[in-house]
Amino acid sequence: MSIDYSERIPNNVDLAEDRRLQRALESWQPRFLAWWAEMGPTLPTQDVYLRTAVDVGRAGWAHFGRVALPDYRWGIFLAERDPDRRIAFGQHRGEPVWQQVPGEHRASLQRLIVVQGDTEPASVEQQRRLGLTAPSLYDLRNLFQVNVEEGRHLWAMVYLLHAHFGRSGRDEAEALLLRNSGSEDSPRILGAFNEQTPDWLSFFMFTYFTDRDGKYQLGTLKESAFDPLSRTCEFMLKEEAHHMFVGTTGVDRVVERAAQLMREHDTGDIAPHGGIPLAVIQKYLNFHYSVSLDLFGGETSTNVANYFTSGLKGRWQEERRADDHVLAGEVTAVEQPAGGRVVTVGLPALTALNHDLRTAYSKDCETGVTRWNRILEQHGIDGHRLALPHPGFNRKVGMFAGCHVTPGGQVVDAATWAAGRDSWLPTPADKAHVESLMRPVYEPGKIAAWIAPPRSGINGQPVDYEYVRF
Ligand SMILES: [Fe+2]
Ligand SMILES: [Fe+2]
């Protein structure tokens, strides 16, 4: 079904048929716009070359054009309904999916939607000042694309809350605009979404590692027996792919520029030459990967086991798994710290589902590292390679919280950790250097000296297209 843009809230959910819901969402809309004005991008612009969803089908789902940011049409888009869809896992496996929320799962489903929904506006808040220092108009445009779509993902979750959770859902929708990233009094729910994204290296690492966490969380919700949630997440995943493209190619370009400067000056210490040294890139990677792993929660969780068994939340690519999709009695191998070492133990697969998801995520993250190392290789850089740290490194959540693990996976004492910390995580000096490189470059086709230009433009436009006008 294509999307109706003549409505105040563009949608493909027949909003006009449900006056009460329409009115409720129309009264939330000005509050969203006020939040965007206050907490969204700080850089004033005339218009931005953006894509807007116009359909949810396979062919040609997006339209590109110049849009003034506050006039972006945030809407409610669910993937097509499959009338034959059945529950793929858990105790209700094989039964038809739910179009309404079952009373006994109301609280759990609402919580899952609120936690997901809270991350969406959080990242807009984290990134609001990045427009002041974009390395090119191409990058500035990508930042705004990510921002407006995270705003739309908030709409996606707010629609579910309004449409299916009554009064308490409406209250939660309000609260999503009241919590703020990094706020003392009312922070965002998850740790990584209260961290700062102060510079563009952080932004690329965030879109590579943290948006990728989002992909995996949405992947589990896409399996949900609650069909409106499944269809919402399916469409969000489509938009999310571009966010990760921004991260992957952003880090590509920082690594490429580092390699060029290393060759040119025959040194790894490229900071004086206006580049970001590989050692600093590695530290940023270590930080963003480890805080993103925390988003997967504890390795074991009986809540998550219950979500799975009752059909609320599946596994990554549930339907492609060659098992019984119930997992009673199954055992899975999990690494945990014990007696000063990391050991592997067998745990019930059902309670270790967070670990299962995190493992799939880590494997996916490896593909970026391989790609970045290939760039180093292509530039003839020997002896320097990037790597993911051990999953126990720098963790605040789960089995490794409270113990010190090196990037190599060794459990160490507090003194050893303190001595190594500055070579593993960004130091104030590293951050100050990265910050010193952040100067806006707003001339079409020009690019900051710390990053290589993109290989191609957006939607077939040339790289030197005027993606943003002031
Ligand atoms: Fe999102
Ligand atoms: Fe995203």
Side-chain angles (χ1 to χ4, degrees), residues 12 54 99 189 226 286 309 322 413 423 427:
N12 70 347
V54 286
Q99 298 307 326
I189 296 170
F226 178 43
N286 289 349
T309 300
D413 59 26
S423 53
T427 63

Side-chain angles (χ1 to χ4, degrees), residues 116 119-120 123 149-150 153-154 211 214 218 236 240 243:
Q116 180 61 43
T119 67
E120 312 289 356
S123 64
E149 285 172 354
E150 300 304 6
H153 293 174
L154 172 61
D211 277 282
L218 292 174
M236 288 164 75
E240 208 60 58
H243 307 180

Side-chain angles (χ1 to χ4, degrees), residues 23-32 34-35 110 114 117-118 121 125 154 157-159 161-162 166-180 186 188:
R23 268 201 307 274
L25 284 164
E26 281 178 357
S27 75
W28 187 81
Q29 188 176 36
R31 279 170 248 182
F32 169 83
W35 165 82
Q110 181 176 299
V114 166
D118 191 69
E125 294 165 354
L154 172 61
M157 294 295 120
V158 163
Y159 164 72
L161 290 170
H162 272 254
R167 177 77 212 234
S168 70
R170 289 194 292 277
D171 290 346
E172 289 289 4
E174 287 294 321
L176 284 169
L177 296 175
L178 299 177
R179 284 184 293 271
N180 289 138
S186 60
R188 292 295 175 184

